[in-house]
Amino acid sequence: MAKHETPLLDQLESGPWPSFVSDMKQEAESRAKNANNINYQIPVDVVEDLLGVLELSYKDGETHWKHGGIVGVFGYGGGVIGRYCDQPEKFPGVAHFHTLRVNQPSGKFYTTEYLKQLCDLWEMRGSGITNMHGSTGDIIFLGTTTKQLEEIFFELTHNLNQDLGGSGSNLRTPADCIGAARCEYACYDTQDLCNHLTQEYQDELHRPAFPYKFKFKFDGCPNCCVASIARADMSFIGTWKDDIRIDQEAVKAYVAGELKPNAGAHAGRDWGKFDIQKEVIDLCPTKCMWYENGKLEIDNKECTRCMHCINVMPRALRPGKQTGCSILVGAKAPILDGAQMGSLLVPFVEVNKDNDYQEIKDVIEAIWDWWMEEGKNRERLGELMKRQGFQKLLEVTGIDPVPQHVQEPRHNPYIFWKEEEVEGGWERDINEFRKHHLR
């Protein structure tokens, strides 16, 4: 017999898709069944009360969670998100319901033994409810009491060799795609770079000192499987600087129907004969491709590495061999003023682990110095860029402007120069003008 009536939540189970409500009910039933076998360290009916408070929130049309203060583990300023219910008498099992963010392994590779250890820990000292994974990338442990925070942290660090992730105004847990471990398109080792920067910037990750949150995300190629270009203050997107490799025989095989486009991903439906003009060339954003005399030609200097042609004809087209990454900055997905995509800052950099990625770290630290000095409270990097201008960002990073930094021709016809940027200053230019034109 359920502890709370949940008619509104029950409706969420009626559709054709799996429901989180069903999962929560299953966990509540499991906890009640195993109460005599497992040494639960928080109330057994925590999930029952969680369902109850959620039902009440739906009924009232408002949340019944409050922040209520700062909680965490000793020495860390982040990693724990404090949650308290504003109806503790009615739902004592969730009077405290803190969330822990756990730093996920690079590429999200686990052993089954490790996953079982995580689940056993959380079953005993938490609600048993997890989110694999949160939007930042972390393993999310949903719901425990204040008393259990240090106990869980000790178990994680001493027995599982695992750390908490980031929360608050700090570096959030860096996240990467599966990279070269499984993907043939990866242009650099995403897992190594992600792990290296995670270890390098431990203070920035655990001791909040930034104006607001800051996210690293690592995509091995322009397919952007972790959506870094849309969600990361600094995104590292694999790319190449030489020509796309073309196998002309494979191109002919696609045109002749001998090879299925999109690696056969749409095999369950007959889309008709493959049309290279319609499905590849006409969809090229810069129109840098053409097909004539049985050959596919690419004007590579116009290519923006969108990957569409490679995705459609993977047996015929490959990324170039001179690989590295592009660094984009300033993306965010806020609720109020709309999403902002990352702006290209470094068109190409070699991802060189031999010197501990120093060239990349120099860019990171120059940006942080500027943002921490000039950023307002709760102002993301992208908002500072909008406020002070992209030229200021180039100045603080010491990066010379290049055509790739220009999204479109300027609308404003007035161009303002700094005197020190003009060789010889204005005085020489005025004298030259007088000499030749004012005789």
Side-chain angles (χ1 to χ4, degrees), residues 275-347:
D275 185 338
I276 191 172
Q277 184 69 40
K278 180 180 177 181
E279 298 180 46
V280 178
I281 295 169
D282 289 349
L283 296 178
C284 175
T286 61
K287 309 300 180 189
C288 71
M289 313 177 75
W290 64 97
Y291 186 70
E292 62 182 9
N293 300 323
K295 292 184 68 176
L296 180 67
E297 303 288 349
I298 302 176
D299 183 3
N300 279 274
K301 70 178 183 297
E302 295 296 326
C303 174
T304 57
R305 317 294 195 269
C306 76
M307 290 284 289
H308 174 71
C309 60
I310 297 175
N311 292 332
V312 176
M313 302 192 298
R315 294 277 292 273
L317 302 173
R318 311 287 295 173
K321 293 185 176 181
Q322 293 177 272
T323 58
C325 79
S326 299
I327 301 177
L328 291 88
V329 291
K332 58 192 179 73
I335 296 171
L336 295 179
D337 59 344
Q340 182 173 311
M341 302 286 271
S343 298
L344 181 66
L345 178 64
V346 181

Side-chain angles (χ1 to χ4, degrees), residues 149-264:
L149 294 176
E150 289 291 350
E151 303 289 344
I152 295 164
F153 182 58
F154 183 91
E155 292 278 342
L156 281 172
T157 56
H158 287 71
N159 298 335
L160 298 182
N161 194 30
Q162 186 60 300
D163 202 356
L164 296 185
S167 68
S169 294
N170 61 0
L171 174 64
R172 297 300 180 83
T173 316
D176 63 317
C177 71
I178 205 165
R182 292 291 301 275
C183 180
E184 59 192 328
Y185 295 149
C187 295
Y188 72 97
D189 189 340
T190 56
Q191 292 178 55
D192 192 77
L193 180 56
C194 179
N195 181 67
H196 181 89
L197 295 184
T198 302
Q199 302 296 338
E200 180 80 8
Y201 296 122
Q202 283 291 291
D203 268 3
E204 289 76 12
L205 186 61
H206 292 306
R207 295 170 181 87
F210 288 163
Y212 202 20
K213 56 188 162 184
F214 197 97
K215 298 179 181 180
F216 289 152
K217 294 190 187 295
F218 307 87
D219 278 306
C221 78
N223 277 325
C224 231
C225 290
V226 294
S228 66
I229 194 172
R231 301 189 299 154
D233 298 271
M234 286 191 75
S235 64
F236 303 83
I237 302 177
T239 188
W240 61 94
K241 64 178 180 180
D242 53 343
D243 294 349
I244 294 176
R245 289 175 281 169
I246 306 176
D247 181 341
Q248 296 292 355
E249 293 303 314
V251 172
K252 293 177 182 177
Y254 278 108
V255 173
E258 298 167 14
L259 293 174
K260 296 291 185 184
N262 300 293

